[in-house]
């Protein structure tokens, strides 16, 4: 409070956003600053991270096993019918049903991928070693973390820079 009874707001200096600990992304367990990338208990200096690449993780093991088992069983039934001559005695309706049953592994794979999609993974190199930096099922969160880390790398590469809008002094008319 001023002596006149009014409150004043502190103004930011133009270089305040260029500090070494500029926070680019923060959520529980994930922090990206200009200097460090922290996920859980793992923390890496941003300067040491190179060759960032995004991939999708492996498919759900249960869905993969279901597809393999279903495919093997249907293949076995097809071979058994082929060797016993049972395919020659089937009617047209039986062929349609058999064709629909052979689509079962494809349906199981599609449902498995929709039910439990592969995770999004962010990989990078640190001191020549490939490291899994971050993994998430949430596409939006993954995109935000990836963009924040890429911005942090750019800031380190160019020796730090300030946000042009935050560092500009806004024009105010003289009164």
């Amino acid at each position: 409070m001023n002596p006149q009874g009014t409150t004043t707001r502190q103004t930011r200096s133009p270089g305040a956003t260029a500090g070494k600990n500029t926070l680019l992304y923060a959520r529980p367990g994930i922090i990206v600053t200009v200097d460090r990338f922290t996920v859980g208990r793992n923390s890496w200096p941003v300067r040491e991270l190179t060759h960032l690449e995004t991939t999708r993780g492996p498919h759900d093991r249960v869905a993969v096993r279901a597809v393999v088992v279903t495919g093997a069983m249907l293949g076995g039934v097809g071979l058994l019918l082929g060797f016993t001559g049972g395919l020659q005695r089937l009617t047209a309706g039986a062929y349609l049903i058999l064709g629909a049953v052979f689509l079962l592994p494809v349906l199981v794979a599609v449902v498995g991928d929709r039910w439990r999609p592969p995770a999004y993974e962010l990989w990078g190199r640190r001191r020549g070693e490939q490291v899994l930096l971050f993994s998430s099922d949430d596409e939006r969160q993954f995109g935000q973390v990836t963009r924040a880390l890429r911005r942090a790398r750019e800031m380190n590469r160019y020796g730090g820079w300030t946000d042009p809008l935050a560092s500009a002094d806004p024009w105010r008319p003289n009164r």
Side-chain angles (χ1 to χ4, degrees):
M1 297 256 308
N2 287 349
Q4 293 88 10
T6 61
T7 59
T8 59
R9 228 173 94 186
Q10 290 182 353
T11 59
R12 283 176 116 172
S13 65
T17 59
K20 280 298 192 180
N21 292 324
T22 301
L23 188 63
L24 299 174
Y25 182 86
R27 293 289 180 271
I30 307 164
I31 298 173
V32 181
T33 65
V34 173
D35 287 335
R36 297 206 70 77
F37 178 52
T38 304
V39 178
R41 294 183 181 190
N42 298 322
S43 185
W44 301 276
V46 172
R47 279 207 172 100
E48 293 180 5
L49 300 177
T50 61
H51 299 89
L52 296 180
E53 59 185 54
T54 59
T55 61
R56 294 297 296 262
H59 294 279
D60 185 42
R61 286 182 286 168
V62 174
V64 170
R65 288 179 186 159
V67 168
V68 169
V69 168
T70 306
M73 288 178 59
L74 290 176
V77 168
L79 284 174
L80 185 63
L81 285 174
F83 284 124
T84 60
L87 288 174
Q88 296 170 353
R89 293 178 277 191
L90 293 177
T91 63
Y95 275 112
L96 287 174
I97 291 173
L98 194 60
V101 168
F102 276 108
L103 287 176
L104 189 62
V106 174
L107 292 174
V108 168
V110 169
V111 168
D113 267 355
R114 298 291 275 170
W115 180 47
R116 299 221 22 203
Y120 297 92
E121 294 180 342
L122 176 64
W123 290 83
R125 285 197 161 305
R126 180 178 182 237
R127 298 181 183 166
E129 182 181 338
Q130 190 80 6
V131 179
L132 175 63
L133 300 171
F134 179 64
S135 177
S136 176
D137 292 335
D138 185 7
E139 184 178 9
R140 182 173 180 233
Q141 179 188 37
F142 180 79
Q144 291 172 346
V145 170
T146 302
R147 282 189 301 277
L149 183 58
R150 289 180 197 261
R151 262 183 293 162
R153 288 195 61 229
E154 287 174 5
M155 288 178 175
N156 274 307
R157 185 180 318 140
Y158 298 123
W161 50 272
T162 60
D163 183 14
L165 294 177
S167 64
D169 225 1
W171 179 81
R172 291 197 171 88
N174 292 332
R175 295 187 189 198

